[in-house]
Amino acid sequence: MMRRLLLAVVLLLMAAPAFAVNPDEVLTDPALEARARALSAELRCMVCQNQSIDDSNADLAKDLRLLVRERITDGDSDEAVLTYIVSRYGEFVLLKPRVSMKTVLLWGAPLLLLLAGGLSLLVFARKRVGKPTGSKLTADEQAKLSELLKK
């Protein structure tokens, strides 16, 4: 009995994203609706942040879904819809950011820092290899060392 209850709860939780798009939002043309769902899957919910607006129940996500559908019914291309939404909400709204100078710097900075750190460690280590460590022995220490080595 407990297993069945647990299975039912898991199935209900797995189906939760399916209820995000309300029936009143769905377009009558299946081709336009498919485009809208594909675009909605690419846009981040600004409230949930790790969900697409297609999966989110937040009010802002609903507004964005309606905006996407409105732009599609007005005849905008997919790229025009994304460009319009990015111009209003910023690049962060995209779940898969576009490749630009900013994103190259963002993703390349850790690699550059790692290379710079490795290079500086290499230079530091090479400078220390040829240098003697410690100080010279005093005359008394040198005499004790010579005496110990003779034995």
Side-chain angles (χ1 to χ4, degrees):
M1 182 68 173
M2 195 63 158
R3 284 186 183 175
R4 289 182 182 169
L5 181 63
L6 183 61
L7 180 62
V9 168
V10 169
L11 288 175
L12 283 174
L13 289 175
M14 287 176 48
F19 300 118
V21 177
N22 299 328
D24 62 332
E25 298 174 19
V26 178
L27 297 172
T28 55
D29 184 358
L32 293 180
E33 179 61 24
R35 282 182 55 206
R37 294 298 287 257
L39 287 173
S40 295
E42 293 181 34
L43 297 172
R44 179 188 316 273
C45 174
M46 302 302 277
V47 176
C48 309
Q49 294 193 0
N50 284 329
Q51 277 186 319
S52 69
I53 62 170
D54 203 34
D55 297 333
S56 176
N57 288 324
D59 290 335
L60 180 60
K62 179 180 179 178
D63 293 342
L64 283 172
R65 286 192 302 266
L66 291 173
L67 179 62
V68 166
R69 284 167 172 74
E70 177 185 320
R71 301 294 294 195
I72 286 175
T73 55
D74 288 346
D76 285 359
S77 68
D78 292 355
E79 189 61 33
V81 172
L82 289 176
T83 302
Y84 177 76
I85 291 177
V86 167
S87 71
R88 291 184 73 189
Y89 294 95
E91 195 77 24
F92 182 71
V93 77
L94 297 175
L95 282 170
K96 296 177 186 170
R98 299 173 179 160
V99 177
S100 68
M101 186 55 91
K102 290 179 186 177
T103 56
V104 168
L105 286 174
L106 176 68
W107 292 102
L111 181 62
L112 290 175
L113 288 173
L114 188 63
L115 288 173
L119 183 63
S120 59
L121 282 175
L122 184 67
V123 168
F124 179 72
R126 291 190 69 123
K127 282 185 179 180
R128 295 202 46 141
V129 167
K131 293 184 178 179
T133 57
S135 58
K136 289 190 173 191
L137 296 176
T138 63
D140 288 338
E141 292 171 337
Q142 186 66 41
K144 283 183 183 178
L145 179 62
S146 296
E147 184 179 315
L148 287 173
L149 290 175
K150 286 179 186 178
K151 291 183 179 178

